[in-house]
Amino acid sequence: MTGVWVLLGTLAAALAAGAMLAARNGRIRTGKRPERALPAAVAEAIDPAAGVTLVQISTTFCAPCRHTRAVLSILAERTAGLHHVDLDVTQRPEVAEALGVLRTPTTLAFDPGGSELLRIGGVPKAAALLDALRPHLPTSRTFPGK
């Protein structure tokens, strides 16, 4: 009988943890204030000509990273003033550490001056991300027909 209670308790804990992780996936949070300068790889990736640069932090064997790359590259392609860069931190964990990134994929949005506007853990939802970025884009034109 004790084994059944242990099994039910474990199942309930797993369901609660899964629900919590699913709720956090793709959630947009405000950007962090940097305690130190941006890592060189990130500073070089920021496009000063774009209104917003999306820096995707990925690792080599991350399946959701490929999906995130597809979502962000299409969004950047169809949105004026938006630039997307994918940084693989598999061999450069110090970049993720300096940015306070604990999971991949994580997407960081930077203005041309290098200030973090927002961050998303997991696969972003394109419509919600575009709505959050609209005030920071030089023009709000998107090209949905492409």
Side-chain angles (χ1 to χ4, degrees), residues 105-121:
T106 294
T107 304
L108 307 166
F110 292 98
D111 69 9
S115 295
E116 185 179 326
L117 303 171
L118 55 88
R119 64 175 50 209
I120 304 146

Side-chain angles (χ1 to χ4, degrees), residues 71-80 82-84 142-143 146:
V71 169
L72 296 180
S73 62
I74 290 170
L75 191 63
E77 204 175 273
R78 295 180 178 181
T79 306
L82 190 60
H83 179 67
H84 170 242
T142 58
F143 306 102
K146 283 191 175 179

Side-chain angles (χ1 to χ4, degrees), residues 57-125:
I57 306 298
S58 301
T59 51
T60 304
F61 299 106
C62 168
C65 294
R66 289 188 288 277
H67 186 63
T68 299
R69 186 178 310 113
V71 169
L72 296 180
S73 62
I74 290 170
L75 191 63
E77 204 175 273
R78 295 180 178 181
T79 306
L82 190 60
H83 179 67
H84 170 242
V85 176
D86 187 2
L87 286 180
D88 187 332
V89 296
T90 303
Q91 302 299 323
R92 302 181 289 180
E94 68 279 357
V95 173
E97 182 181 346
L99 294 170
V101 172
L102 300 176
R103 69 182 272 202
T104 59
T106 294
T107 304
L108 307 166
F110 292 98
D111 69 9
S115 295
E116 185 179 326
L117 303 171
L118 55 88
R119 64 175 50 209
I120 304 146
V123 180
K125 294 161 185 66

